[in-house]
Amino acid sequence: MTGEAVLDARLCVRRGDFELDADLRVGSGQVLALLGPNGAGKSTALRALAGLEPLSGGHVRVDGRDETTTPVERRPIGVVFQDYLLFPHMSALDNVAFGPRCRGLSKAEARARAAELLDGMGLAEHARARPRQLSGGQAQRVALARALAARPRLLLLDEPMAALDAGTRVDVRAGLRRRLEEFDGATVLVTHDPLDAMVLADRIAVVEGGRIVQQGTPAKVARRPRTPYAARLVGLNLFRGTAEGTEVRLADGGRVRVHEAHRGTVLVAFPPRAVALHRERPQGSPRNVWRLRVDSVERFGDQVRVHLSGQPPLAADISPAALAELGLSPGEAVWASVKAAEADCYPA
Amino acid sequence: MRGRAAGARHRDRGLRVRPGRAPWILLLPAFAGAAFLVLPLAGLLVRAPWPDMARRVTEPEVLSALWLSLWTATAATVLSLLLGVPLAWLLARTEFPGRRIVRALVTVPLVVPPVVGGVALLFVLGRNGLLGQYLHAWFGIGIPFTPAAVVLAQTFVAMPFLVVGVEGALRAADRRYEEAAATLGAGRATVFARVTLPAVLPGVGAGAVLCWARALGEFGATVTFAGNFPGTTRTMPLAVYTAMQSDPEAALVLSLLLLGVSLAVLAALREKWAFVR
Amino acid sequence: MRERSAVRAHALVAAAALLLSATSCGAEDGRRLTVFAAASLTDVFTELAGKFEEQNPGTEVVLNFAGSSELAAQINTGAPADVFAAADTATMAQVVAGEGLDTDWAAEHGENGVVFAANTLRIAVPPDNPAEVGELADLADEDTLVALCAEEVPCGAATAAATRAAGLDIVPDTYEEDVRAVLTKVELGEVDAGLVYATDVVAAGERAIGIEFAQAAEAVNDYPVAVVSTADEPALAAAWVDLVRSGSGAEVLAAAGFEVP
């Protein structure tokens, strides 16, 4: 991260058995995505940043100012909520003008600023529309405009794509990305969809069980996930083990041969398409060969994904033709191989 | 609303799988219930001296009682709104010690016989009442036997309907909108005025109608606290009761008039709401 | 108001109980006398019932108190009364014209029952008499808060007769639905004066003072009593009437504020 962080927060929230403990730092113009399964605590983190959830410890600093105990309505924040929560009894324009009004602008000034923002979002002709007359994508843009209207330093987005249908997501996501790039404050985005995180964020923090288990650029998280959840999200086979040279003894049994030598606790990752399946034991170049059992077979894009159990449990992507040739059905034994060069090994 | 639904079903006939016949175990008591509520009304209509009606409802005493009833019930509703909506908000949106007790106490007028409510008001606001004695001694204000007393008696009895209704609406309302407003910089008062209140407006309206209807029909607390004098405190229900003592037919006429006017007002309000919704 | 509706509810329950007991048990181990009486007679008749049961061992007196006109209506629709005691002669006339009186008794005592007591109006004021009311004319004073019975109810008719006789036009601050409601307003000190019956002033004890006034003589309420034609126990019923008209009956009535002929 470069320069002074706009957001510098340590969030501790305890609620019953659940405990969130997360350090977040986001620089100017940066977008941090909190990626994690349901119940991981990412929405709690967002609410804590907004002041909607009381902290049991830690701090929230924005532009170096301590906002830990600032009431919600006086924090320099803007929030885009999951269902957008546009006020149903107000026009789009009044929704956007709401924040500036509350921050002391006159009605005319607030409306002028709102109109300008809506114009910038390409929504000028929908200014008078009620929220229920807007499409999902339009509503999202109004919600974004509303959140930005009071000129926040910290923008919080809670599952901004969740309310949209699959067909419109691609366009809306691209539009949102463009607008986030124009925002010079810090943005924290909560999502459970890795694609959103990859496209929208500069950095991803993977949240599981109230902790940040991995943090890095989307490319790094995608290539070298550190938990099974993250690996599954980005579609990789991931194993933890102990390396001795180019051989890794896996924690759950089995061995994997890798290309580069390591020592100590490591993670090994390789994509399902790097896995080849055979009826007969394969011979030849240095590779990993395992005798595994077919669990299930499912369609995956134009490939077929075969889930295998044994040591180690794997997912393999093969072509439908290959599947037909192999004649695999659940319960059958099969040989699986992965070239050592395809298995990425990195310290845990 | 119901008419529209019926029309839609009519149009779709043949396309839709028909629901099973309504079971008699529900139909029978339903019809009995409807009959029980409607028959006494029918009795009133049958026994009413129709040829005489127009003359009798335009007698000055009748019109003055009707006018008094309408404006006092409306004033009581306005007063209930001014006091009751904030009270409902307090009960639904804040935590304070004794909140449950306050909530239970607020509904007491629903349970207590209105006559007792009237006596209680006398004990507090009467000439010798806890507060009334000072009002009388310091300002020379006497509340009983004035239209103000009618409004207070009606408010006492009717406001709980509003409070309970609005509190329910507040509890059912999606509080996330209030959170959204707070993140936009709105303080609690602004949130209430610009987000909460518009969201629960239908509930407030329904509560106000119930409150108004209850105030309009108020008898026991009024006759006890406000007394019964034509033009100042004899509202329609009191006029009905007074007439009942000597001329049941006159009481019938008054009752039907009250019924007709209140139904007309409620129907007009409903039309308006249907439009807004 | 409160007293009245309580009495009414009580009367309904009593009537229901009577109907039930009449059909179920009869008079196996004793005789039963059923007396319908005006609500203002509640205390007097309850006391006399004790005396009557003493004098007639094995007899049970069942009392049903309510407004006179209500009782008349009950009797005329078949309620099982032996004796009817009304608060005014007009109500007795309704029963005479309706269900009718016991013919033997009526032939001997009177076709319209016999008057056994009378009630007259008094000005009731709170104990401290804040408006210093001394006579009926003081009630016509603008600044005096006054409660009167509504003209539609019996005490209101008496009130109107008295004020007419006095040549006064008293505009009250409230027309109450019955005499008890007037008394309550006086007792609470919410009004400076009200017109009630002498018996009500006695019943109020120290909570109100009664002031006699001359014109009350113009509005005397006579209380008639009679044996009803539906009486199952005409002899007992006649005995009850005799007790009410006896010296001891007069004593109890006078103590309650009634005038006895």
Side-chain angles (χ1 to χ4, degrees), chain A residues 253-273:
Chain A
R255 286 156 195 279
V256 182
R257 193 172 294 278
V258 298
H259 189 58
E260 289 167 5
H262 282 85
R263 190 153 295 280
T265 310
V266 293
L267 292 167
V268 178
F270 51 86
R273 64 184 150 65

Side-chain angles (χ1 to χ4, degrees), chain C:
Chain C
M1 234 353 271
R2 188 170 24 156
E3 287 83 348
R4 176 155 188 160
S5 46
V7 164
R8 186 171 295 171
H10 185 81
L12 279 176
V13 171
L18 284 177
L19 287 169
L20 279 178
S21 60
T23 52
S24 60
C25 57
E28 291 170 329
D29 54 335
R31 301 163 75 190
R32 183 194 297 269
L33 176 70
T34 306
V35 177
F36 279 36
S40 46
L41 292 168
T42 304
D43 294 342
V44 171
F45 271 28
T46 304
E47 194 178 337
L48 289 178
K51 278 197 206 302
F52 190 81
E53 286 172 358
E54 263 173 45
Q55 291 169 8
N56 301 277
T59 305
E60 189 195 353
V61 179
V62 178
L63 298 168
N64 180 22
F65 298 110
S68 299
S69 52
E70 214 166 301
L71 292 172
Q74 285 179 22
I75 292 171
N76 285 340
T77 52
D82 294 314
V83 175
F84 178 43
D88 58 273
T89 45
T91 333
M92 181 59 82
Q94 288 175 25
V95 171
V96 171
E99 200 65 34
L101 302 185
D102 184 83
T103 40
D104 295 343
W105 185 88
E108 190 180 331
H109 295 90
E111 298 298 330
N112 293 307
V114 286
V115 172
F116 64 98
N119 214 349
T120 54
L121 290 174
R122 293 273 187 282
I123 302 169
V125 298
D128 56 348
N129 194 0
E132 294 171 359
V133 170
E135 52 174 351
L136 194 60
D138 293 342
L139 271 58
D141 187 334
E142 279 269 310
D143 295 332
T144 308
L145 280 173
V146 176
L148 297 181
C149 282
E151 285 192 29
E152 289 82 352
V153 298
C155 63
T159 300
T163 51
R164 219 170 18 247
L168 289 169
D169 183 19
I170 300 177
V171 180
D173 294 276
T174 177
Y175 286 113
E176 297 295 319
E177 295 311 324
D178 59 40
V179 69
R180 289 279 172 180
V182 174
L183 190 64
T184 303
K185 295 263 190 313
V186 172
E187 287 176 1
L188 289 172
E190 292 303 334
V191 293
D192 299 316
L195 286 189
V196 301
Y197 284 112
T199 53
D200 297 311
V201 176
V202 172
E206 291 176 0
R207 285 165 299 174
I209 297 171
I211 300 170
E212 292 185 36
F213 60 100
Q215 297 85 355
E218 300 298 324
V220 176
N221 245 37
D222 286 330
Y223 279 58
V225 65
V227 177
V228 186
S229 67
T230 53
D232 287 332
E233 298 279 1
L236 271 184
W240 173 268
V241 174
D242 290 343
L243 172 65
V244 170
R245 300 176 69 198
S246 71
S248 60
E251 222 169 89
V252 177
L253 283 163
F258 285 102
E259 284 173 18
V260 183

Side-chain angles (χ1 to χ4, degrees), chain A residues 47 50 52 72-73 77 79 81 83 85-90 94-95 98-99 101-103 146-147 150, chain B residues 174-188 190-191 193-196 198-199 276-277:
Chain A
R47 291 175 58 80
L52 295 169
V72 184
E73 63 266 26
I77 54 167
V79 185
F81 290 88
D83 304 319
L85 302 182
L86 297 174
F87 305 128
H89 57 283
M90 296 182 198
D94 286 336
N95 262 283
F98 187 92
R101 275 294 274 153
C102 290
R103 313 261 179 193
R146 186 176 71 167
Chain B
D174 191 342
R175 296 198 56 179
R176 295 181 307 155
Y177 287 100
E178 297 177 10
E179 291 182 346
T183 67
L184 292 168
R188 290 192 93 166
T190 310
V191 171
R194 296 205 51 201
V195 177
T196 313
V276 170
R277 278 183 197 172

Side-chain angles (χ1 to χ4, degrees), chain B residues 49-234:
Chain B
W50 291 108
D52 233 10
M53 204 58 139
R55 184 183 58 76
R56 298 185 83 149
V57 300
T58 50
E59 281 173 10
E61 306 91 80
V62 172
L63 291 180
S64 90
L66 180 63
W67 170 240
L68 181 70
S69 262
L70 291 176
W71 85 253
T72 52
T74 305
T77 306
V78 170
L79 186 60
S80 294
L81 282 168
L82 290 176
L83 304 177
V85 172
L87 177 56
W89 178 84
L90 197 72
L91 292 174
R93 285 288 188 274
T94 62
E95 276 300 332
F96 57 89
R99 191 182 61 82
R100 283 162 181 277
I101 297 169
V102 172
R103 188 150 177 263
L105 289 178
V106 162
T107 56
V108 161
L110 294 177
V111 183
V112 165
V115 180
V116 178
V119 173
L121 284 171
L122 278 180
F123 285 152
V124 174
L125 294 171
R127 216 160 47 146
N128 295 327
L130 292 176
L131 301 175
Q133 57 181 315
Y134 301 111
L135 287 178
H136 188 70
W138 296 346
F139 309 108
I141 297 173
I143 294 175
F145 317 119
T146 64
V150 176
V151 173
L152 289 180
Q154 292 175 347
T155 305
F156 179 81
V157 172
M159 190 164 79
F161 286 89
L162 182 85
V163 174
V164 169
V166 174
E167 196 202 342
L170 282 170
R171 287 189 183 280
D174 191 342
R175 296 198 56 179
R176 295 181 307 155
Y177 287 100
E178 297 177 10
E179 291 182 346
T183 67
L184 292 168
R188 290 192 93 166
T190 310
V191 171
F192 175 77
R194 296 205 51 201
V195 177
T196 313
L197 201 55
V200 298
L201 214 51
V204 173
V209 165
L210 210 58
C211 177
W212 186 79
R214 179 67 189 86
L216 196 67
E218 212 317 288
F219 172 75
T222 310
V223 80
T224 310
F225 178 54
N228 177 6
F229 190 80
T232 45
T233 59
R234 182 176 290 172

Side-chain angles (χ1 to χ4, degrees), chain A residues 38 56 69-70 83 86 118 131 133 137 158 178 204 228 233 235 285 289 310 340 348:
Chain A
N38 286 333
S56 51
T69 55
T70 310
D83 304 319
L86 297 174
L118 285 175
Q133 297 167 310
D158 190 1
R178 241 180 4 260
I204 292 176
L233 277 183
S285 55
V289 179

